[in-house]
Amino acid sequence: MKLLVVEDETRMVELLRKGLAEEGHTVVCARDGSEGLDLVRNYEFDVIILDVMLPKLNGYDVAHQIRKEKISTPVLMLTAKDAIPDLVYGLDSGADDYLTKPFAFEELLARLRAVKRRAPVPQPTKLQVGDLVLDPATREVSRGGADILLTRTEYNLLERLMYRPGKVVPRRSLIEAVWGFDREIEENTLDAFVRLLRTKIDTDHQPKLIHTVRGVGYMIRAEARS
Ligand code: CA
């Protein structure tokens, strides 16, 4: 699984990072609530392990905010408090389950499997930007009604952009979404694939949909460049 750990205590972070990696999981760590929220907004995770007492934004607020933004990634909350009202508050704020510190690592693993299993399978709906349509269910893409044939990499890039129309998708986020966390991809490899994608999507059409945001990333949107 690809896991996000939002936790500020160094010992706990190292314990989780090491233990979960040994179990074969990919682990990304954030040290405060706002960094955690930022990662959740930009990357896909299978489960978020979220501490309650965090700098900047506490775990309840993070959980509340991601549900408000309709992000359905399961949340397993870590809490040092075992008073019932706090747990209820945690679950109400959008957590799927909680674990009280200190906990046995085996229990954490079991809870992770359980929240992942219970997570709703997202029902992909067609994504549309202008006359460009992408169907995640069939991986078919068309513009102005004409089918466009994309390679797997081109498709993955386009899908990533189309999930956030009108928003800049950072270069790092695109690279990780398409090639994964573990592979080091040269920056110009990304540019080369975007060039190929542009040829297929934009060359014979107006308006141009794929926009470069210099030094930051790429964005897809239908309005003309301002
Ligand atoms: Ca903490």
Side-chain angles (χ1 to χ4, degrees), residues 7-9 51 53-54 101:
E7 166 67 271
D8 58 318
E9 292 155 52
D51 187 34
M53 302 297 283
L54 289 168
K101 294 181 192 173

Side-chain angles (χ1 to χ4, degrees), residues 2 30 41 84 108 199 211:
K2 196 186 274 183
R41 282 174 175 150
I84 294 300
L108 171 70
T199 308
H211 302 270

